[in-house]
Amino acid sequence: MQNSQLAHMEDQAPITSFGRYLRKIRITRKVTLRELANRAQLSPSYISSIESGSATPPPRETTERILDALDPEDAEREALFILGMTARGSTEFDERLPEEVRFLICELRGDGHKLPDRFVRALRVYVKEAVS
C-alpha cells in the first residue's frame, strides 16, 4: 500500500491512540519510518512498535525527540502528548498544555489511579477539537 493510500485511510480513522496519531502525523509529513528513526535517533523497529500499539507510548523525552524530528503543528504536538499521558496513566504535563488539561492532570496526581472515564472522555473531546 502506498503512503497516499495510507494517509487517506488514516484521515478516516478516529484518533484514539498515540501510535495511530503518530503514524498519521508521520505520513502526512511524507516521512518514512526509517527517516523518522534516523532523525529521532531511535530504531525503526521501535517506532514501528509504537505506531502499531505493541509498545506503550514512550516517555516525554523520547516523545519530544520524535516530535522534533517531525516538526508538527502545536495542536498536533499537544494532542500527541495528551494521548501518550493518557495511555501511560502519567501525571507529568507540559506547561504548553491548556489550563484545563493541566488542571485535570494535577487533580489526579494524588489518586494513584488511572484516569476516570469522564476525564478520558473530556481529554478525547479536547484532542479532537485541537486537531480539527
Side-chain angles (χ1 to χ4, degrees):
M1 194 173 289
Q2 294 181 319
N3 272 353
S4 62
Q5 291 172 315
L6 286 172
H8 179 69
M9 285 175 50
E10 292 291 326
D11 285 340
Q12 305 290 324
I15 300 166
T16 58
S17 76
F18 180 93
R20 180 176 291 164
Y21 194 51
L22 174 61
R23 181 178 176 84
K24 178 182 179 182
I25 294 170
R26 180 178 62 78
I27 289 172
T28 300
R29 302 246 170 341
K30 295 181 170 79
V31 175
T32 68
L33 195 92
R34 189 170 302 284
E35 288 171 333
L36 175 57
N38 286 336
R39 291 178 192 175
Q41 299 178 342
L42 299 166
S43 74
S45 62
Y46 180 55
I47 302 271
S48 178
S49 66
I50 293 169
E51 287 184 353
S52 71
S54 61
T56 58
R60 180 171 177 218
E61 298 78 27
T62 305
T63 301
E64 287 274 1
R65 288 177 25 208
I66 292 169
L67 289 170
D68 289 345
L70 289 172
D71 193 29
E73 301 290 327
D74 288 343
E76 292 171 323
R77 181 178 288 270
E78 288 178 12
L80 204 59
F81 275 119
I82 292 168
L83 288 169
M85 288 185 300
T86 302
R88 288 190 312 274
S90 175
T91 59
E92 68 185 56
F93 64 90
D94 187 320
E95 290 297 325
R96 293 172 293 185
L97 292 175
E99 181 179 354
E100 58 273 11
V101 174
R102 292 194 317 260
F103 175 78
L104 289 174
I105 293 167
C106 288
E107 285 292 307
L108 295 169
R109 277 211 163 147
D111 291 346
H113 298 110
K114 284 194 158 189
L115 290 170
D117 288 342
R118 69 178 194 270
F119 289 120
V120 172
R121 284 192 299 272
L123 288 171
R124 284 187 180 150
V125 167
Y126 171 76
V127 168
K128 285 180 184 178
E129 289 174 359
V131 297
S132 26

